[in-house]
Amino acid sequence: MDQTDNASKPARNVPASVRKRDVLPYILLFILLAGLLAVLAGALLPPHYQAVPALLWSLGFCVSGMLLGFLFGIPRTLPSGTVNMATPDERAGGKSRPTDEPPATAGDAAASNASNTLFLGTPTPMEINSNLVEVSDWLTKIIVGVGLIELKSLPASARSMAAFIAPSLAVDTATAMAVVGGIMLFFSVHGFLIGYLLTRIYLSIMIKRADSLVKNESVRLESGKEIEVTELSRLQQKSLDDMQEAVTQLLLAHPPDGGAAVTALAGMPTAQKPSSLVLWLDDHPRNNTLLVEQLERENIKVDQAVSTRQALAMLQQKRYALFITDMARAENGRRVKDAGVRTVREVGQVQPDLPIIVYCSKDTVASYGVEAEAAGARFITTSGTSLLASVNKLLHEERER
């Protein structure tokens, strides 16, 4: 299914946040270069101290600060066996949000065929080597403890360090002490910020990716596709909610026409089921992973497109038995709330006899459902379970023609 308008806002904001985060290293580098240029200027202009020792000490203090910032910024890993609980919104599969459509309602199909499993492998738990984190934690505690104890002697130690470095600048002592004090303060603090911020922002991401690979936090579906365990759990939780809603509706309504035929097909072995080709248009195809997996288990091959232009081109290349589209969608970099209605019209002009299903959220059904039906959509649903049933029903009708 497609994302909601609210969901599209974060999607548009993500690049901005990424850009802001990626600008940070350049800002830190610019400040570092400005400090080095200031040190160099003092060598070329009065007081004309030695440039090489001043630059070397500046870089030395900067690197020392970076090392300290690195030790303080190393992300702490969770203890073995700790599990992150999903937020209520994630456990609800996005139902509580006013989204353009519930994110990835795909486990519905799995519940309809509980005797089969949707994936071949399960995560293999492995213990992550956290020695670096433990060493960092140990050293930071020592540094903080010693620093607090020796806080009174810190100014005297700084003066002693400045007096040790001052002769290397080859100028009068008072000037050298002032220059060294500035170098120590500026480059130590800036180095600490560089080490801490870059470690906290970037190293944490790298460690998380590496740990995910080591822990194998993904499963491989029968089709060969891989999906993260957290994403799979979210989709399956959404499917349970969807199944409960669908069962309630079945208890209150008569089964649709063709229900017996669909039931007969459901009990048939996959190898004996007739093969069909379906085109699914959605700018967020990942949300439909489990639904696509279930359809392919029913011997229904699914091709996926992410834009109307791509879908129309694919319709010219292959003969499809059914077409599925979302409603709100990004087209040419712009969010179009009634994109599904427009797609139904355009597809209807190209292939008038092609059955079209609109799969979207309740909000978009309320806003554009009537228009989509008037444009030629055969079925409009917000439920993954209903979608699977309608696909089987419409494909059965197409074969009976």
Side-chain angles (χ1 to χ4, degrees), residues 54-74:
L55 290 175
L56 288 177
W57 282 112
S58 299
L59 293 175
F61 281 110
C62 183
V63 172
S64 300
M66 290 174 61
L67 177 60
L68 189 61
F70 171 77
L71 291 176
F72 275 82
I74 293 179

Side-chain angles (χ1 to χ4, degrees), residues 6 13 21 24 53 61 105 111 121 145 155 163 183 211 230 283 293 305 315 396:
N6 286 352
N13 291 336
R21 186 194 70 191
L24 179 61
F61 281 110
T105 64
I183 289 175
D211 288 354
T230 53
D283 57 340
E293 177 74 13
L315 286 173
H396 174 74

Side-chain angles (χ1 to χ4, degrees), residues 191-237:
F192 177 84
L193 291 177
I194 292 176
Y196 179 81
L197 292 177
L198 296 186
T199 301
R200 185 68 183 86
I201 296 175
Y202 295 99
L203 184 64
S204 59
I205 297 175
M206 297 170 62
I207 290 178
K208 182 177 180 181
R209 290 177 180 172
D211 288 354
S212 297
L213 291 176
V214 173
K215 291 180 179 179
N216 190 24
E217 292 181 344
S218 63
V219 293
R220 185 181 298 274
L221 305 177
E222 290 184 357
S223 61
K225 301 174 184 176
E226 288 192 359
I227 184 171
E228 294 180 358
V229 173
T230 53
E231 180 73 3
L232 180 63
S233 300
R234 183 180 68 84
L235 296 177
Q236 289 180 329
Q237 181 61 48

